[in-house]
Structure formats: structure tokens, C-alpha cells
Amino acid sequence: MKTILRLCVLMGLGLCHLAFAQSYPTKSVRFIVTYAPGGGTDTVARMIGQKLTEAWGQQVIVDNRGGGGGVVGTEIAAQAAPDGYTLLLGSQGGLVINPLMNSKLPYDPFSDFAPVVMLTTNSLLLVINPAVPATSVKEMIALAKTSPGKLNYASAGEGTPSHLAMELFQSMAGINNVHVPYRGAGLGVIDLIAGRVQLTFNPMPPLLPHVKSGKLRALAVSGVSRSAAVPEVPTIAESGLPGYGYALWYAIFVPAKTPKAIIQKINAQVVSILGQPEIKQRLIAQGTDPHGGSPDALGRFFKEDTERLRKTIKIAGAKAN
């Protein structure tokens, strides 16, 4: 009898969640971005948020909660009610790198969040100053091996993607260029153009104008496949370093215990949006590749990326500032 009653209760809860999901959303939805307005995460969130507003007839409000390298906004999302009315634009920095480098964060990326959908994957661009006598990845590796310690590479700081991507590259290539960390990518790019450093990995948008003008030379993209933004630029893996792959990503997460029916509804709507030609073109123009996929697929990728970055951070010896 107890078993039957328990089953009835579970079935009743399931029907309630289904009915709730069918009517969802009935009010405005908060979309937390963990960085200031104007950056890459903010742009993607506003693009998707506007389309969700149009589809649902309820306002999706982008809420910029910067601070702590993404920690502040992520903590706010973790503490929100698990009812589908708070979305988090999660990124590799906030949900993978920060937790791996700081064990005292006020949230756990796996127990406090549920994956919803991958939005974009973003390859970094490997660029060098044109004065460096290398026109390919193979030539750059050969130059670094014949002149160890003579090439300097810029990064956006200790433990940032530009640092970790290069350290993974160096460990696989067997080279040892000198790390020059900056407070942000912009200053490093200025010094790269001036020739004070020789190479860097960085997101595409700020680099592409300098590549097109000839001030910088693009050697490869860091992802496992070519980017639609620069299809003529090969991957590092196909340029002489098989097995290499490193990419940033943006994805939607919700607080843990959010009903699965609501997660599925958000997922289906966002996947539909990402398939729209207009959205695809706008994302590609910004140097990002639209993705999509199921919540389970994002969950698997999230775990795999965490293990990849755990090994890379150990190789780099990166420490939290």
C-alpha cells in the first residue's frame, strides 16, 4: 500500500511539473550575465534574451552582475529559486577555471546548477607579430625549439584562457616561450603589435581587425574544428600538433532542482533560436560558432572540459591571484 501511495504522489508531482512547464513562463525571466555590459557574454545574452522575449511574450531581462571574475553573478544564480525564472549565462571562466583554481568559492558548479543548452563555442586565435619569421604553426614551433626562451607570449593574466591555451600548446609541442601576463587582453595586443612580445592566443573579435590590416599574422585557431568566422585559418591540430584542442564556451544553466520539464522547454526554444539564419550570421560575425544540443550533451561536455582544464592548470602551474 505504501508503495502504491508513493507512486501516486510521484505521478501527481510529475503532472504538476508538466502543467507548470506548459504554462511557463507567466512572468518576466532574469538572465544573469556575470560580467559588465558590452562584452562577449553580454552580447550573446541580449541576442538570445530578445528572441526568447519575442517567443514567450514575457520579458527576458539581462541582469549584469559583474565582480570577482564571474563569482558574484554565479553565486546569485546558485542561490535563486529553482523555478525557471533565473537563467545563468555560464562560461568556462566562471564554472570551470574559477572553481579549479579556488576551492573556497561560495558555489559548486556541479551540485548547484543544472545544464540547459550550449550556446556557442569560441576558438582562440593564435597570432604573431609579422616580424617573427614564421608563417605556420610548424615554423613557429621550429623557431621556438632553435631559440628557446627568445619568444615572449602575452596573456590576459595568470590562469586566463589565453594563458592556459598557450601552456597546453607548449607542453604538447615541447617548447618553452616566456609568459608575459597583462591585466587584460587589450594591453597585450598593443605590445604584440609594437613587437614588445611576439605571440598570443586571444578571442577573435579584438584580433581580426589587426589581422586584416596586416598588423598581426594569424597562424591557427585553437578549436578542434575550423571556425566559421575565419574558415581559411587552419586548426592547430591540422597544422602540425595532432590532438590539440581548446575552446571557450557560453551556455545556459539554471539552479539545481529546476523541474526537468522546464529545462526541456527552455532548451527547445533556445535550440530553435540558434537555428535561425539571422542569429547564426550575427554570432559568426562576432567570431563565435553557434552550437545547441541537449541538456545531457552539455552536462557531459561540462564534465569533460573540467577534467581537461584540471590537467592544463596543473601543467601551467597557474595559481589564483
Side-chain angles (χ1 to χ4, degrees):
M1 180 62 73
K2 289 183 179 179
T3 302
I4 293 174
L5 286 173
R6 191 178 296 114
L7 287 172
C8 288
V9 170
L10 292 173
M11 288 176 65
L13 288 172
L15 290 172
C16 287
H17 284 161
L18 181 60
F20 183 42
Q22 287 174 341
S23 63
Y24 168 90
T26 58
K27 60 181 181 179
S28 61
V29 176
R30 178 171 61 162
F31 197 179
I32 294 178
V33 174
T34 60
Y35 297 98
T41 51
D42 182 66
T43 301
V44 172
R46 292 182 187 278
M47 195 182 304
I48 300 300
Q50 179 59 40
K51 288 296 182 179
L52 286 174
T53 296
E54 295 171 4
W56 287 340
Q58 296 289 347
Q59 194 72 26
V60 175
I61 302 168
V62 173
D63 185 6
N64 296 92
R65 295 298 186 103
V71 173
V72 172
T74 306
E75 181 183 9
I76 292 171
Q79 295 176 350
D83 55 8
Y85 289 95
T86 297
L87 312 180
L88 171 69
L89 185 69
S91 66
Q92 186 185 71
L95 290 176
V96 179
I97 295 176
N98 282 349
L100 287 175
M101 294 184 63
N102 184 353
S103 61
K104 297 181 180 180
L105 290 183
Y107 59 86
D108 181 280
F110 290 101
S111 62
D112 290 336
F113 294 100
V116 179
V117 61
M118 179 74 81
L119 295 177
T120 64
T121 53
N122 311 52
S123 287
L124 300 180
L125 196 60
L126 174 60
V127 293
I128 62 172
N129 184 286
V132 177
T135 59
S136 68
V137 169
K138 283 184 178 180
E139 290 180 2
M140 193 275 282
I141 292 173
L143 180 64
K145 286 183 175 180
T146 56
S147 305
K150 294 294 180 65
L151 297 178
N152 301 323
Y153 79 86
S155 84
E158 182 91 0
T160 61
S162 56
H163 176 212
L164 299 179
M166 185 64 80
E167 288 299 317
L168 177 62
F169 176 84
Q170 295 201 140
S171 70
M172 293 179 67
I175 58 177
N176 186 28
N177 298 319
V178 179
H179 179 210
V180 183
Y182 288 81
R183 287 188 171 273
L187 293 174
V189 172
I190 291 171
D191 275 4
L192 178 61
I193 292 172
R196 288 185 279 273
V197 291
Q198 287 71 50
L199 65 158
T200 192
F201 269 111
N202 258 316
M204 291 187 204
L207 295 178
L208 289 178
H210 301 304
V211 171
K212 291 176 181 177
S213 70
K215 293 179 181 178
L216 295 175
R217 178 183 298 142
L219 295 185
V221 294
S222 66
V224 296
S225 59
R226 294 196 183 200
S227 171
V230 283
E232 73 281 4
V233 178
T235 66
I236 289 172
E238 67 181 300
S239 301
L241 204 58
Y244 183 92
Y246 187 103
L248 307 179
W249 48 266
Y250 300 146
I252 294 178
F253 288 78
V254 291
K257 299 183 181 179
T258 298
K260 288 186 178 180
I262 288 181
I263 290 175
Q264 289 292 349
K265 186 167 185 177
I266 299 169
N267 174 276
Q269 191 64 64
V270 173
V271 169
S272 175
I273 290 169
L274 291 171
Q276 296 176 13
E278 170 206 352
I279 294 297
K280 281 186 174 181
Q281 291 169 6
R282 288 172 65 186
L283 289 170
I284 290 170
Q286 294 176 25
T288 66
D289 295 312
H291 207 277
S294 69
D296 287 343
L298 172 56
R300 288 192 297 271
F301 175 87
F302 186 30
K303 290 179 181 178
E304 291 167 0
D305 199 50
T306 298
E307 290 311 307
R308 275 194 295 266
L309 267 293
R310 191 190 308 278
K311 295 174 184 176
T312 304
I313 287 171
K314 185 176 181 181
I315 290 169
K319 304 246 188 319
N321 294 322

